[in-house]
Amino acid sequence: MTAPIPLLGHDQTLFDRVGEDRLRRLLWTFYGRVMTDDLLGPVFQARVGPYPGGGWPVHIARLEGFWRAVMHGPSAYRGQPGPAHMKLGIGPEHFDRWLAFWQGTLPDILEPAEAEEMYALAGRMRPNLERFALAPTE
Ligand code: HEM
């Protein structure tokens, strides 16, 4: 028997490196903090309900599917993130705050390299989501 060839870091997806447990912990921790914020909290409270009950377990499961796909892991996510941000009454200040919480939470759960990649991914999605968020709603 030959020994298995160890996976080199660059052959692993971001999802492999982060793992399911840490991704879940990241999402619950992040939204727990977001819900304490005066600007972001009420928007989620109105849509998803009181944290950590209400629609939160379902919402986090959907977000997990989304992030698994973005991180090149196995995922059954088939949602549409853009339209989900329409008619929320949010603007650039909400995205600034969201990204500040994301940046603050990532290093508490992930290693620096993975934290940086996850931050960059969200930053790249922002313009598209913000475009939907700002779309006129006759
Ligand atoms: C780059 C930053 C953001 C990312 C990557 C992101 C990502 C997502 C994703 C993937 C979903 C699930 C979409 C689906 O249902 O399939 C979602 C839903 C949602 N997001 Fe964001 N989001 C961001 C910023 C924001 C901001 C700034 C707000 C405003 C407070 C916000 C509020 C919401 C709400 C309320 C929902 C639930 C909509 C519903 O189910 O009715 N998001 N987001």
PDB file of all heavy atoms in Angstrom, residues 40 43-44 47-48 59 62-63 66-67 77 79-81 84-85 88 90 94-95 98-99 122 125-126 129, ligand 1:
ATOM      1  N   LEU A  40     -28.873  47.864  11.285  1.00  0.00           N
ATOM      2  CA  LEU A  40     -29.154  46.607  10.574  1.00  0.00           C
ATOM      3  C   LEU A  40     -30.201  45.746  11.275  1.00  0.00           C
ATOM      4  O   LEU A  40     -31.020  45.091  10.620  1.00  0.00           O
ATOM      5  CB  LEU A  40     -27.866  45.784  10.437  1.00  0.00           C
ATOM      6  CG  LEU A  40     -26.705  46.435   9.693  1.00  0.00           C
ATOM      7  CD1 LEU A  40     -25.498  45.507   9.698  1.00  0.00           C
ATOM      8  CD2 LEU A  40     -27.094  46.776   8.262  1.00  0.00           C
ATOM      9  N   VAL A  43     -33.974  45.826  10.253  1.00  0.00           N
ATOM     10  CA  VAL A  43     -34.268  45.337   8.896  1.00  0.00           C
ATOM     11  C   VAL A  43     -34.440  43.814   8.928  1.00  0.00           C
ATOM     12  O   VAL A  43     -35.389  43.263   8.355  1.00  0.00           O
ATOM     13  CB  VAL A  43     -33.133  45.728   7.907  1.00  0.00           C
ATOM     14  CG1 VAL A  43     -33.455  45.210   6.510  1.00  0.00           C
ATOM     15  CG2 VAL A  43     -32.910  47.232   7.892  1.00  0.00           C
ATOM     16  N   PHE A  44     -33.537  43.142   9.624  1.00  0.00           N
ATOM     17  CA  PHE A  44     -33.634  41.681   9.718  1.00  0.00           C
ATOM     18  C   PHE A  44     -34.789  41.249  10.620  1.00  0.00           C
ATOM     19  O   PHE A  44     -35.468  40.258  10.352  1.00  0.00           O
ATOM     20  CB  PHE A  44     -32.306  41.100  10.224  1.00  0.00           C
ATOM     21  CG  PHE A  44     -31.231  41.106   9.178  1.00  0.00           C
ATOM     22  CD1 PHE A  44     -30.301  42.131   9.132  1.00  0.00           C
ATOM     23  CD2 PHE A  44     -31.167  40.112   8.221  1.00  0.00           C
ATOM     24  CE1 PHE A  44     -29.311  42.151   8.156  1.00  0.00           C
ATOM     25  CE2 PHE A  44     -30.188  40.121   7.235  1.00  0.00           C
ATOM     26  CZ  PHE A  44     -29.253  41.145   7.208  1.00  0.00           C
ATOM     27  N   ARG A  47     -37.948  41.191   8.617  1.00  0.00           N
ATOM     28  CA  ARG A  47     -38.037  40.146   7.593  1.00  0.00           C
ATOM     29  C   ARG A  47     -37.921  38.732   8.147  1.00  0.00           C
ATOM     30  O   ARG A  47     -38.591  37.803   7.682  1.00  0.00           O
ATOM     31  CB  ARG A  47     -36.912  40.313   6.569  1.00  0.00           C
ATOM     32  CG  ARG A  47     -37.183  41.268   5.465  1.00  0.00           C
ATOM     33  CD  ARG A  47     -38.389  40.833   4.637  1.00  0.00           C
ATOM     34  NE  ARG A  47     -38.768  41.899   3.751  1.00  0.00           N
ATOM     35  CZ  ARG A  47     -38.651  41.838   2.435  1.00  0.00           C
ATOM     36  NH1 ARG A  47     -38.213  40.751   1.853  1.00  0.00           N
ATOM     37  NH2 ARG A  47     -39.002  42.877   1.714  1.00  0.00           N
ATOM     38  N   VAL A  48     -37.004  38.552   9.091  1.00  0.00           N
ATOM     39  CA  VAL A  48     -36.658  37.195   9.542  1.00  0.00           C
ATOM     40  C   VAL A  48     -37.223  36.900  10.930  1.00  0.00           C
ATOM     41  O   VAL A  48     -37.438  35.731  11.281  1.00  0.00           O
ATOM     42  CB  VAL A  48     -35.119  36.985   9.503  1.00  0.00           C
ATOM     43  CG1 VAL A  48     -34.763  35.538   9.764  1.00  0.00           C
ATOM     44  CG2 VAL A  48     -34.537  37.432   8.152  1.00  0.00           C
ATOM     45  N   HIS A  59     -33.245  30.819   7.667  1.00  0.00           N
ATOM     46  CA  HIS A  59     -32.444  31.840   6.986  1.00  0.00           C
ATOM     47  C   HIS A  59     -30.956  31.455   6.994  1.00  0.00           C
ATOM     48  O   HIS A  59     -30.279  31.538   5.977  1.00  0.00           O
ATOM     49  CB  HIS A  59     -32.653  33.194   7.657  1.00  0.00           C
ATOM     50  CG  HIS A  59     -31.977  34.317   6.947  1.00  0.00           C
ATOM     51  ND1 HIS A  59     -32.245  34.639   5.633  1.00  0.00           N
ATOM     52  CD2 HIS A  59     -31.025  35.197   7.346  1.00  0.00           C
ATOM     53  CE1 HIS A  59     -31.484  35.668   5.265  1.00  0.00           C
ATOM     54  NE2 HIS A  59     -30.740  36.022   6.287  1.00  0.00           N
ATOM     55  N   ARG A  62     -30.209  28.710   4.569  1.00  0.00           N
ATOM     56  CA  ARG A  62     -30.161  29.204   3.194  1.00  0.00           C
ATOM     57  C   ARG A  62     -28.828  29.915   2.924  1.00  0.00           C
ATOM     58  O   ARG A  62     -28.204  29.733   1.876  1.00  0.00           O
ATOM     59  CB  ARG A  62     -31.329  30.163   2.957  1.00  0.00           C
ATOM     60  CG  ARG A  62     -31.609  30.392   1.489  1.00  0.00           C
ATOM     61  CD  ARG A  62     -32.809  31.277   1.273  1.00  0.00           C
ATOM     62  NE  ARG A  62     -34.036  30.740   1.840  1.00  0.00           N
ATOM     63  CZ  ARG A  62     -34.992  31.478   2.421  1.00  0.00           C
ATOM     64  NH1 ARG A  62     -34.867  32.780   2.508  1.00  0.00           N
ATOM     65  NH2 ARG A  62     -36.068  30.911   2.895  1.00  0.00           N
ATOM     66  N   LEU A  63     -28.417  30.733   3.897  1.00  0.00           N
ATOM     67  CA  LEU A  63     -27.136  31.436   3.752  1.00  0.00           C
ATOM     68  C   LEU A  63     -25.972  30.454   3.714  1.00  0.00           C
ATOM     69  O   LEU A  63     -25.003  30.649   2.980  1.00  0.00           O
ATOM     70  CB  LEU A  63     -26.948  32.422   4.911  1.00  0.00           C
ATOM     71  CG  LEU A  63     -27.893  33.614   4.870  1.00  0.00           C
ATOM     72  CD1 LEU A  63     -27.925  34.306   6.217  1.00  0.00           C
ATOM     73  CD2 LEU A  63     -27.481  34.595   3.776  1.00  0.00           C
ATOM     74  N   PHE A  66     -25.760  29.203   0.276  1.00  0.00           N
ATOM     75  CA  PHE A  66     -25.197  30.249  -0.578  1.00  0.00           C
ATOM     76  C   PHE A  66     -23.673  30.298  -0.441  1.00  0.00           C
ATOM     77  O   PHE A  66     -22.937  30.261  -1.429  1.00  0.00           O
ATOM     78  CB  PHE A  66     -25.824  31.596  -0.197  1.00  0.00           C
ATOM     79  CG  PHE A  66     -25.104  32.780  -0.759  1.00  0.00           C
ATOM     80  CD1 PHE A  66     -25.293  33.169  -2.078  1.00  0.00           C
ATOM     81  CD2 PHE A  66     -24.234  33.525   0.032  1.00  0.00           C
ATOM     82  CE1 PHE A  66     -24.629  34.266  -2.602  1.00  0.00           C
ATOM     83  CE2 PHE A  66     -23.561  34.622  -0.484  1.00  0.00           C
ATOM     84  CZ  PHE A  66     -23.755  34.995  -1.803  1.00  0.00           C
ATOM     85  N   TRP A  67     -23.201  30.351   0.808  1.00  0.00           N
ATOM     86  CA  TRP A  67     -21.753  30.474   1.021  1.00  0.00           C
ATOM     87  C   TRP A  67     -21.012  29.215   0.590  1.00  0.00           C
ATOM     88  O   TRP A  67     -19.907  29.280   0.074  1.00  0.00           O
ATOM     89  CB  TRP A  67     -21.454  30.841   2.482  1.00  0.00           C
ATOM     90  CG  TRP A  67     -21.648  32.319   2.694  1.00  0.00           C
ATOM     91  CD1 TRP A  67     -22.698  32.931   3.314  1.00  0.00           C
ATOM     92  CD2 TRP A  67     -20.791  33.370   2.236  1.00  0.00           C
ATOM     93  NE1 TRP A  67     -22.547  34.293   3.273  1.00  0.00           N
ATOM     94  CE2 TRP A  67     -21.376  34.590   2.625  1.00  0.00           C
ATOM     95  CE3 TRP A  67     -19.582  33.410   1.541  1.00  0.00           C
ATOM     96  CZ2 TRP A  67     -20.796  35.825   2.338  1.00  0.00           C
ATOM     97  CZ3 TRP A  67     -18.995  34.642   1.256  1.00  0.00           C
ATOM     98  CH2 TRP A  67     -19.604  35.830   1.655  1.00  0.00           C
ATOM     99  N   TYR A  77     -27.913  25.250  -3.040  1.00  0.00           N
ATOM    100  CA  TYR A  77     -28.496  26.600  -3.095  1.00  0.00           C
ATOM    101  C   TYR A  77     -28.911  26.957  -4.517  1.00  0.00           C
ATOM    102  O   TYR A  77     -28.127  26.863  -5.445  1.00  0.00           O
ATOM    103  CB  TYR A  77     -27.488  27.628  -2.587  1.00  0.00           C
ATOM    104  CG  TYR A  77     -28.022  29.045  -2.625  1.00  0.00           C
ATOM    105  CD1 TYR A  77     -28.949  29.486  -1.686  1.00  0.00           C
ATOM    106  CD2 TYR A  77     -27.610  29.939  -3.604  1.00  0.00           C
ATOM    107  CE1 TYR A  77     -29.444  30.784  -1.721  1.00  0.00           C
ATOM    108  CE2 TYR A  77     -28.105  31.238  -3.646  1.00  0.00           C
ATOM    109  CZ  TYR A  77     -29.023  31.652  -2.703  1.00  0.00           C
ATOM    110  OH  TYR A  77     -29.522  32.933  -2.735  1.00  0.00           O
ATOM    111  N   GLY A  79     -31.025  29.930  -4.879  1.00  0.00           N
ATOM    112  CA  GLY A  79     -31.755  31.169  -4.627  1.00  0.00           C
ATOM    113  C   GLY A  79     -31.298  32.310  -5.516  1.00  0.00           C
ATOM    114  O   GLY A  79     -30.451  32.146  -6.394  1.00  0.00           O
ATOM    115  N   GLN A  80     -31.873  33.469  -5.288  1.00  0.00           N
ATOM    116  CA  GLN A  80     -31.528  34.675  -6.038  1.00  0.00           C
ATOM    117  C   GLN A  80     -31.207  35.793  -5.053  1.00  0.00           C
ATOM    118  O   GLN A  80     -32.113  36.502  -4.596  1.00  0.00           O
ATOM    119  CB  GLN A  80     -32.696  35.088  -6.926  1.00  0.00           C
ATOM    120  CG  GLN A  80     -32.927  34.130  -8.075  1.00  0.00           C
ATOM    121  CD  GLN A  80     -33.872  34.733  -9.082  1.00  0.00           C
ATOM    122  OE1 GLN A  80     -34.989  35.102  -8.749  1.00  0.00           O
ATOM    123  NE2 GLN A  80     -33.415  34.867 -10.315  1.00  0.00           N
ATOM    124  N   PRO A  81     -29.938  35.925  -4.712  1.00  0.00           N
ATOM    125  CA  PRO A  81     -29.567  36.906  -3.678  1.00  0.00           C
ATOM    126  C   PRO A  81     -29.963  38.331  -4.053  1.00  0.00           C
ATOM    127  O   PRO A  81     -30.355  39.106  -3.179  1.00  0.00           O
ATOM    128  CB  PRO A  81     -28.049  36.773  -3.582  1.00  0.00           C
ATOM    129  CG  PRO A  81     -27.720  35.447  -4.179  1.00  0.00           C
ATOM    130  CD  PRO A  81     -28.781  35.151  -5.191  1.00  0.00           C
ATOM    131  N   ALA A  84     -33.643  39.340  -3.301  1.00  0.00           N
ATOM    132  CA  ALA A  84     -33.902  39.274  -1.850  1.00  0.00           C
ATOM    133  C   ALA A  84     -33.600  40.601  -1.170  1.00  0.00           C
ATOM    134  O   ALA A  84     -34.056  40.844  -0.049  1.00  0.00           O
ATOM    135  CB  ALA A  84     -33.069  38.154  -1.214  1.00  0.00           C
ATOM    136  N   HIS A  85     -32.829  41.474  -1.844  1.00  0.00           N
ATOM    137  CA  HIS A  85     -32.469  42.751  -1.229  1.00  0.00           C
ATOM    138  C   HIS A  85     -33.275  43.928  -1.752  1.00  0.00           C
ATOM    139  O   HIS A  85     -32.989  45.085  -1.442  1.00  0.00           O
ATOM    140  CB  HIS A  85     -30.967  42.993  -1.406  1.00  0.00           C
ATOM    141  CG  HIS A  85     -30.160  41.972  -0.665  1.00  0.00           C
ATOM    142  ND1 HIS A  85     -29.840  40.753  -1.202  1.00  0.00           N
ATOM    143  CD2 HIS A  85     -29.692  41.966   0.595  1.00  0.00           C
ATOM    144  CE1 HIS A  85     -29.185  40.046  -0.311  1.00  0.00           C
ATOM    145  NE2 HIS A  85     -29.081  40.746   0.787  1.00  0.00           N
ATOM    146  N   LEU A  88     -36.215  46.552   0.736  1.00  0.00           N
ATOM    147  CA  LEU A  88     -35.881  46.472   2.165  1.00  0.00           C
ATOM    148  C   LEU A  88     -35.705  47.881   2.734  1.00  0.00           C
ATOM    149  O   LEU A  88     -35.560  48.042   3.946  1.00  0.00           O
ATOM    150  CB  LEU A  88     -34.588  45.673   2.387  1.00  0.00           C
ATOM    151  CG  LEU A  88     -34.615  44.170   2.086  1.00  0.00           C
ATOM    152  CD1 LEU A  88     -33.221  43.577   2.304  1.00  0.00           C
ATOM    153  CD2 LEU A  88     -35.633  43.451   2.964  1.00  0.00           C
ATOM    154  N   ILE A  90     -33.067  49.778   2.141  1.00  0.00           N
ATOM    155  CA  ILE A  90     -31.672  49.902   2.570  1.00  0.00           C
ATOM    156  C   ILE A  90     -30.850  50.627   1.509  1.00  0.00           C
ATOM    157  O   ILE A  90     -31.246  50.711   0.346  1.00  0.00           O
ATOM    158  CB  ILE A  90     -31.032  48.529   2.888  1.00  0.00           C
ATOM    159  CG1 ILE A  90     -31.036  47.603   1.656  1.00  0.00           C
ATOM    160  CG2 ILE A  90     -31.764  47.879   4.054  1.00  0.00           C
ATOM    161  CD1 ILE A  90     -30.273  46.305   1.863  1.00  0.00           C
ATOM    162  N   HIS A  94     -26.124  50.867   4.891  1.00  0.00           N
ATOM    163  CA  HIS A  94     -26.367  49.516   5.412  1.00  0.00           C
ATOM    164  C   HIS A  94     -25.288  48.550   4.946  1.00  0.00           C
ATOM    165  O   HIS A  94     -24.864  47.683   5.704  1.00  0.00           O
ATOM    166  CB  HIS A  94     -27.742  49.004   4.969  1.00  0.00           C
ATOM    167  CG  HIS A  94     -28.886  49.760   5.544  1.00  0.00           C
ATOM    168  ND1 HIS A  94     -29.340  50.938   4.997  1.00  0.00           N
ATOM    169  CD2 HIS A  94     -29.668  49.511   6.623  1.00  0.00           C
ATOM    170  CE1 HIS A  94     -30.362  51.380   5.722  1.00  0.00           C
ATOM    171  NE2 HIS A  94     -30.576  50.538   6.721  1.00  0.00           N
ATOM    172  N   PHE A  95     -24.855  48.691   3.687  1.00  0.00           N
ATOM    173  CA  PHE A  95     -23.805  47.805   3.168  1.00  0.00           C
ATOM    174  C   PHE A  95     -22.465  48.089   3.852  1.00  0.00           C
ATOM    175  O   PHE A  95     -21.718  47.160   4.175  1.00  0.00           O
ATOM    176  CB  PHE A  95     -23.704  47.930   1.636  1.00  0.00           C
ATOM    177  CG  PHE A  95     -24.793  47.167   0.930  1.00  0.00           C
ATOM    178  CD1 PHE A  95     -26.014  47.769   0.647  1.00  0.00           C
ATOM    179  CD2 PHE A  95     -24.616  45.832   0.588  1.00  0.00           C
ATOM    180  CE1 PHE A  95     -27.036  47.059   0.030  1.00  0.00           C
ATOM    181  CE2 PHE A  95     -25.632  45.114  -0.031  1.00  0.00           C
ATOM    182  CZ  PHE A  95     -26.849  45.730  -0.318  1.00  0.00           C
ATOM    183  N   TRP A  98     -22.785  46.444   7.245  1.00  0.00           N
ATOM    184  CA  TRP A  98     -22.774  44.972   7.087  1.00  0.00           C
ATOM    185  C   TRP A  98     -21.335  44.496   6.904  1.00  0.00           C
ATOM    186  O   TRP A  98     -20.871  43.564   7.571  1.00  0.00           O
ATOM    187  CB  TRP A  98     -23.641  44.596   5.890  1.00  0.00           C
ATOM    188  CG  TRP A  98     -23.980  43.146   5.719  1.00  0.00           C
ATOM    189  CD1 TRP A  98     -25.183  42.555   5.977  1.00  0.00           C
ATOM    190  CD2 TRP A  98     -23.130  42.094   5.196  1.00  0.00           C
ATOM    191  NE1 TRP A  98     -25.129  41.208   5.652  1.00  0.00           N
ATOM    192  CE2 TRP A  98     -23.891  40.904   5.186  1.00  0.00           C
ATOM    193  CE3 TRP A  98     -21.812  42.045   4.747  1.00  0.00           C
ATOM    194  CZ2 TRP A  98     -23.365  39.675   4.738  1.00  0.00           C
ATOM    195  CZ3 TRP A  98     -21.280  40.831   4.321  1.00  0.00           C
ATOM    196  CH2 TRP A  98     -22.070  39.671   4.324  1.00  0.00           C
ATOM    197  N   LEU A  99     -20.617  45.163   5.994  1.00  0.00           N
ATOM    198  CA  LEU A  99     -19.240  44.736   5.705  1.00  0.00           C
ATOM    199  C   LEU A  99     -18.316  44.984   6.902  1.00  0.00           C
ATOM    200  O   LEU A  99     -17.373  44.210   7.121  1.00  0.00           O
ATOM    201  CB  LEU A  99     -18.719  45.442   4.453  1.00  0.00           C
ATOM    202  CG  LEU A  99     -19.278  44.870   3.150  1.00  0.00           C
ATOM    203  CD1 LEU A  99     -19.041  45.833   1.982  1.00  0.00           C
ATOM    204  CD2 LEU A  99     -18.660  43.503   2.818  1.00  0.00           C
ATOM    205  N   ALA A 122     -17.350  38.907  -0.215  1.00  0.00           N
ATOM    206  CA  ALA A 122     -18.522  39.749   0.089  1.00  0.00           C
ATOM    207  C   ALA A 122     -18.365  41.121  -0.563  1.00  0.00           C
ATOM    208  O   ALA A 122     -19.329  41.675  -1.103  1.00  0.00           O
ATOM    209  CB  ALA A 122     -18.703  39.883   1.599  1.00  0.00           C
ATOM    210  N   MET A 125     -19.373  41.058  -4.099  1.00  0.00           N
ATOM    211  CA  MET A 125     -20.818  40.896  -4.353  1.00  0.00           C
ATOM    212  C   MET A 125     -21.584  42.186  -4.101  1.00  0.00           C
ATOM    213  O   MET A 125     -22.691  42.369  -4.582  1.00  0.00           O
ATOM    214  CB  MET A 125     -21.393  39.838  -3.404  1.00  0.00           C
ATOM    215  CG  MET A 125     -20.896  38.459  -3.652  1.00  0.00           C
ATOM    216  SD  MET A 125     -21.595  37.472  -2.321  1.00  0.00           S
ATOM    217  CE  MET A 125     -20.230  36.389  -2.029  1.00  0.00           C
ATOM    218  N   ARG A 126     -21.002  43.048  -3.313  1.00  0.00           N
ATOM    219  CA  ARG A 126     -21.728  44.239  -2.875  1.00  0.00           C
ATOM    220  C   ARG A 126     -22.341  45.061  -4.019  1.00  0.00           C
ATOM    221  O   ARG A 126     -23.533  45.400  -3.946  1.00  0.00           O
ATOM    222  CB  ARG A 126     -20.813  45.122  -2.025  1.00  0.00           C
ATOM    223  CG  ARG A 126     -21.479  46.435  -1.683  1.00  0.00           C
ATOM    224  CD  ARG A 126     -20.573  47.403  -0.989  1.00  0.00           C
ATOM    225  NE  ARG A 126     -21.290  48.656  -0.775  1.00  0.00           N
ATOM    226  CZ  ARG A 126     -20.994  49.524   0.162  1.00  0.00           C
ATOM    227  NH1 ARG A 126     -19.990  49.302   0.972  1.00  0.00           N
ATOM    228  NH2 ARG A 126     -21.698  50.629   0.286  1.00  0.00           N
ATOM    229  N   LEU A 129     -25.570  43.452  -5.323  1.00  0.00           N
ATOM    230  CA  LEU A 129     -26.667  43.448  -4.341  1.00  0.00           C
ATOM    231  C   LEU A 129     -27.173  44.867  -4.093  1.00  0.00           C
ATOM    232  O   LEU A 129     -28.383  45.089  -3.959  1.00  0.00           O
ATOM    233  CB  LEU A 129     -26.199  42.809  -3.031  1.00  0.00           C
ATOM    234  CG  LEU A 129     -25.773  41.346  -3.117  1.00  0.00           C
ATOM    235  CD1 LEU A 129     -25.354  40.826  -1.742  1.00  0.00           C
ATOM    236  CD2 LEU A 129     -26.898  40.475  -3.672  1.00  0.00           C
TER     237      LEU A 129
HETATM  238  C1  HEM B   1     -22.356  42.002   0.561  1.00  0.00           C
HETATM  239  C2  HEM B   1     -23.249  41.957   1.559  1.00  0.00           C
HETATM  240  C3  HEM B   1     -24.392  40.965   1.620  1.00  0.00           C
HETATM  241  C4  HEM B   1     -24.423  39.652   1.255  1.00  0.00           C
HETATM  242  C5  HEM B   1     -23.290  38.800   0.673  1.00  0.00           C
HETATM  243  C6  HEM B   1     -25.786  39.180   1.500  1.00  0.00           C
HETATM  244  C7  HEM B   1     -26.243  37.908   1.218  1.00  0.00           C
HETATM  245  C8  HEM B   1     -27.538  37.472   1.343  1.00  0.00           C
HETATM  246  C9  HEM B   1     -28.068  36.205   0.879  1.00  0.00           C
HETATM  247  C10 HEM B   1     -27.258  35.131   0.174  1.00  0.00           C
HETATM  248  C11 HEM B   1     -29.378  36.154   1.194  1.00  0.00           C
HETATM  249  C12 HEM B   1     -30.360  34.984   0.931  1.00  0.00           C
HETATM  250  C13 HEM B   1     -31.068  35.184  -0.401  1.00  0.00           C
HETATM  251  C14 HEM B   1     -32.070  34.064  -0.631  1.00  0.00           C
HETATM  252  O1  HEM B   1     -33.153  34.114  -0.035  1.00  0.00           O
HETATM  253  O2  HEM B   1     -31.764  33.154  -1.401  1.00  0.00           O
HETATM  254  C15 HEM B   1     -29.708  37.389   1.873  1.00  0.00           C
HETATM  255  C16 HEM B   1     -30.955  37.715   2.366  1.00  0.00           C
HETATM  256  C17 HEM B   1     -31.232  38.856   3.077  1.00  0.00           C
HETATM  257  N1  HEM B   1     -30.396  39.932   3.276  1.00  0.00           N
HETATM  258 FE1  HEM B   1     -28.469  40.073   2.642  1.00  0.00          FE
HETATM  259  N2  HEM B   1     -26.522  40.198   2.035  1.00  0.00           N
HETATM  260  C18 HEM B   1     -25.717  41.307   2.129  1.00  0.00           C
HETATM  261  C19 HEM B   1     -26.084  42.549   2.607  1.00  0.00           C
HETATM  262  C20 HEM B   1     -27.272  42.827   3.232  1.00  0.00           C
HETATM  263  C21 HEM B   1     -27.595  44.092   3.863  1.00  0.00           C
HETATM  264  C22 HEM B   1     -26.701  45.332   3.923  1.00  0.00           C
HETATM  265  C23 HEM B   1     -28.851  43.960   4.374  1.00  0.00           C
HETATM  266  C24 HEM B   1     -29.620  45.038   5.124  1.00  0.00           C
HETATM  267  C25 HEM B   1     -29.798  45.064   6.388  1.00  0.00           C
HETATM  268  C26 HEM B   1     -29.321  42.616   4.076  1.00  0.00           C
HETATM  269  C27 HEM B   1     -30.544  42.087   4.426  1.00  0.00           C
HETATM  270  C28 HEM B   1     -31.037  40.864   4.030  1.00  0.00           C
HETATM  271  C29 HEM B   1     -32.370  40.366   4.363  1.00  0.00           C
HETATM  272  C30 HEM B   1     -33.402  41.103   5.224  1.00  0.00           C
HETATM  273  C31 HEM B   1     -32.493  39.125   3.760  1.00  0.00           C
HETATM  274  C32 HEM B   1     -33.713  38.185   3.823  1.00  0.00           C
HETATM  275  C33 HEM B   1     -34.667  38.476   2.701  1.00  0.00           C
HETATM  276  C34 HEM B   1     -35.876  37.570   2.812  1.00  0.00           C
HETATM  277  O3  HEM B   1     -35.696  36.358   2.953  1.00  0.00           O
HETATM  278  O4  HEM B   1     -36.973  38.096   2.790  1.00  0.00           O
HETATM  279  N3  HEM B   1     -28.333  41.963   3.372  1.00  0.00           N
HETATM  280  N4  HEM B   1     -28.576  38.177   1.943  1.00  0.00           N
END
